[in-house]
Amino acid sequence: MSQNDIDYGTPARQSATLVTLTIDGRRITVPEGTSVMRAAAEAGISVPKLCATDHLEAYGSCRLCMVEIEGRRGTPASCTTPVTPGMAVWTQTDRLARLRRGVMELYISDHPLDCLTCPTNGDCELQDMAGAVGLRQVRYGYEGENHRAAAKDESNPYFTFDPSKCIVCSRCVRACGEVQGTFALTIDGRGFDSKVSPGALESFMDSECVSCGACVQACPTATLTEKSIIQNGQSEHSVVTTCAYCGVGCSFKAEMQGTTVVRMTPWKDGGANEGHSCVKGRFAWGYATHQDRRTQPMIRKITSDPWRVVSWDEAIAYAAQRLKAVQEKHGRGSIGGITSSRTTNEEVYVVQKMIRAAFGNNNVDTCARVCHSPTGYGLKQAFGTSAGTQDFRSVDQADIILVIGANPTDGHPVFGSRMKKRIRQGAKLIVVDPRRIDLVRSPHVEAAHHLQLRPGTNVAVLNALAHVIVTEGLVNDAFVAERCDPAEFAQWAAFVAEPRNSPEAIAEPSGVPAEDLRAVARLYATGGNAAIYYGLGVTEHSQGSTSVMAMANLAMATGNIGRPGVGVNPLRGQNNVQGSCDMGSFPHELTGYRDVADDTVRHQFEAVWNATLDPVPGLRIPNMFDEAVHGAFKGLYVQGEDIAQSDPNTQHVHAALQAMECVIVQDLFLNETAAFAHVFLPGTSFLEKDGTFTNAERRINRVRPAMPPKTGKHEWQIPCELASAMGYPMHYDSASEIMDEIAALTPTFQGVSFAKLDRVGSVQWPCNEAAPEGTPIMHADGFMRGKGQFVVTEYVPTPEQASRFYPLILTTGRILSHYNVGAQTRRTANVAWHPEDRLEIHAHDAEQRGIRDGDLISLASRVGATTLRAQISDRVPQGVVYTTFHHPVTGANVVTTENADWATQCPEYKVTAVQVTRSNQPADWQRRHAAVIDAAAAE
Ligand code: SF4
Ligand code: SF4
Ligand code: SF4
Ligand code: FES
């Protein structure tokens, strides 16, 4: 049975003007601009269709949807005909039936009649329509010229293209353009010869296709079909859940045969994605059942011992005993834990509770430390909340889109597509990035300005923009007077107005011409609704928090906050990075960002948890490593984060892990960190989890189990059992019960429950008595902290400067097909797109070093060296090199340094002074690493 949603044929229209008409004698009222087809569908009247689908604009090519309208000649297509007041439409008449059968006859006369063996048998609109119009014969025969022998394209790892089944409805072409914004497909040729073509008659893999699946989703026939469906057949039930990759938080239907996933289809009602997806969520879920998964607990006395598979009871008892032994020997504060942004809110909550209540300290931190902790700090200072201000939908009303330090089409692809759509509609784009990301110029999208600043100069550039706004009288005085603290504004305005912050002064350090800075400032301040979207290119700097506050200053000064189309919006990295922060993962904060040192707050938790909590904030991740190297921190529980690979200055992290007496890793795979572990506790994949993720727009989405946990236990049960074994009894009967406790203790989650989420789909926090259905746009009537705070953001150059020995600056980022350290995506067919990380280097820098494209090169910083292949690229300017970090063997973090954000210690991944030279062999650490991996594989 198909798991498809109702298809209304054409997109919904928003209008205050309503139109009433009759269809088949029934009175129907719809917004002005609605098509006759959609009006009928909303009333439950189904009109046959092939080229129409409700996520694409009507096209009117198949002629199957014709209707009769009283007073009009002919039989207009209902998909392209808008409703008018008093219109009387008939959808089923003898004449229409005859015409529709004629249309279908033509289609079927050029279609292979292999329905019984076709992979989409039962999920084919052509088949459905043949039935709907009562097709009983095909008078034209199959002997004439036809397309039934056209060759298949199986180049894409996830779907096939079988042109013999194509009806040239153009849904795929339109989906690729309208929804995805890639424009990889065209209709080549005319009339009978017209055919769908990826690029210039290339294969899908050779074309611009980014494998988002929108065309596959749109195709009404078996022409574009998932290989998983060809292999397994159609699903028999589905479960709505949430993607486990990035912070967009797309909703999917996991289409199932029993406990086997046969396809993931983006859910039309998903608040974040509205039916769209990217290659990762749509196709790269195979890691969940990959042979590398470890599903049984394992222990070992020392890290050179082989792992021993044990029962859960033995593993928990062993872990508890080792942690307690460490505490007895080295003190209560000698152990701690790291929560994961890959796990659910409920799983994060129980881990931080275990640490605070059972470990008896606040040594809890989260992987957000190394990505968006400056967002939490900066936005809380400025606005009073550690979260983005808008929902994704808000971008549809933006006139100016300023993207800084983010690469949405690779890092947050579904939102990137939405953003591109808005730009195609006319919004102006400003990109601030050292690298020429795709958004700067791609089909039908071109940035009005690309400020190609030197890595590390974000604050200088933001201050220069503010300088122009203040000195050219572009401040929104009314907004500032009403919403912000006047004394702080005056102080800030005086600061940015100083000549040292002028574009002319900043041009030299930033490398951005003064006139470009002035033009961007004017455009941002005067171009209408202006929205800022930013990513790790802002936060992962020594002044990450300062940059976040500088952006908040710009938004407040121009009144671009508190309504749709504006705001300051972090594009969060991991699926639940917002949630892991919300759930009290920082050492100084309990859930909802409330201070652990605040007696009133702490006493609330103590009363519910029945425990005495330490009022002193605990160690952050880098402090844990430092203390471990110094001998004071000896035990670590780390959940779903591969710190040995993902944290900066790998050598230091390895030294810290080696110095510990008890390392407990909870993960899907024996990751790099597990090489240092004494206890391995298997985790569950998103397909097994029951709980919630919170995405970048504060949207709390349900994660529902499509299959039982392969480990035999829910992941939230493990910390509960470990806490209990350590002497603090902790028990829940369900994930829902954990959410109820979160809601009871967290004002912004007060109105959240699984029952509500199941009823309404998703909500954006704050969700409480004041906002029972959630809060899509924050700070609408006033800032959460009261008056908005302008903070003086002095530019302090990073100590990491290019020098004679390290003359280039390395910056890092992600690619679409992979995710973080690649633990999941490397275990899928996504490796077809990016089998290795490469170093992008400008032709001039390469030539100076005798480096050719594809050469093995050594990348060395003052802390370490690694080798990888070079890619000559004009995306990076002279003096800047760039790499991704998806493959452990690349070891990008071997070269990154211990420099960090002054406020949050978020590492400065984005600026490392390096030298690049030709090489003919792997670095020493890579040889050692290969030996470790071989040993792990042998187990
Ligand atoms: S491939 Fe599918 S969607 Fe595209 S034109 Fe052919 S039938 Fe239509
Ligand atoms: S998979 Fe996506 S990018 Fe590729 S052709 Fe289809 S719609 Fe376009
Ligand atoms: S955009 Fe992000 S959340 Fe959506 S499918 Fe892709 S990886 Fe998953
Ligand atoms: S569905 Fe209306 S013309 Fe094809």
Side-chain angles (χ1 to χ4, degrees), residues 161 165-173 187 196 215 218-221 223-224:
F161 174 56
K165 300 196 166 177
C166 180
I167 59 171
V168 202
C169 65
S170 195
R171 275 163 65 162
C172 54
V173 178
I187 300 284
V196 171
C215 56
C219 184
T221 67
T223 313
L224 287 159

Side-chain angles (χ1 to χ4, degrees), residues 574-595:
Q574 311 218 52
N575 51 342
N576 200 33
V577 68
Q578 179 71 54
S580 73
C581 300
D582 300 342
M583 290 300 103
S585 289
F586 290 130
H588 65 297
E589 285 171 340
L590 289 152
T591 63
Y593 306 96
R594 281 157 317 135
D595 244 314

Side-chain angles (χ1 to χ4, degrees), residues 225-238:
T225 305
E226 297 89 346
K227 288 183 176 173
S228 60
I229 288 288
I230 295 173
Q231 190 180 333
N232 297 302
Q234 298 293 321
S235 58
E236 42 83 15
H237 75 280
S238 68

Side-chain angles (χ1 to χ4, degrees), residues 156 159 172-177 179-185 198 204 207-216 224 276-277 283:
N156 186 288
F159 59 84
C172 54
V173 178
R174 289 178 286 141
C176 191
V179 179
Q180 165 58 22
T182 294
F183 298 89
L185 302 178
F204 269 81
S207 74
E208 295 294 308
C209 169
V210 293
S211 202
C212 69
C215 56
V216 183
L224 287 159
H276 191 34
S277 64
F283 295 117

Side-chain angles (χ1 to χ4, degrees), residues 323-337 355-363 612-616 619 632-635 726:
L323 287 173
K324 283 200 289 188
V326 170
Q327 282 192 306
E328 274 159 26
K329 200 161 133 199
H330 302 285
R332 199 181 59 181
S334 61
I335 64 171
I355 292 163
R356 297 186 201 278
F359 292 10
N361 62 46
N362 292 309
N363 291 337
T612 304
L613 302 182
D614 188 343
V616 180
L619 298 173
F633 188 80
K634 289 288 188 182
M726 291 184 73

Side-chain angles (χ1 to χ4, degrees), residues 400 402-404 524 530-534 551-552 554-555 566-570:
I400 306 297
L402 195 163
V403 177
I404 171 166
Y524 175 79
I532 298 176
Y533 294 90
Y534 71 94
M551 292 184 299
L554 283 184
V566 298
V568 181
N569 303 288

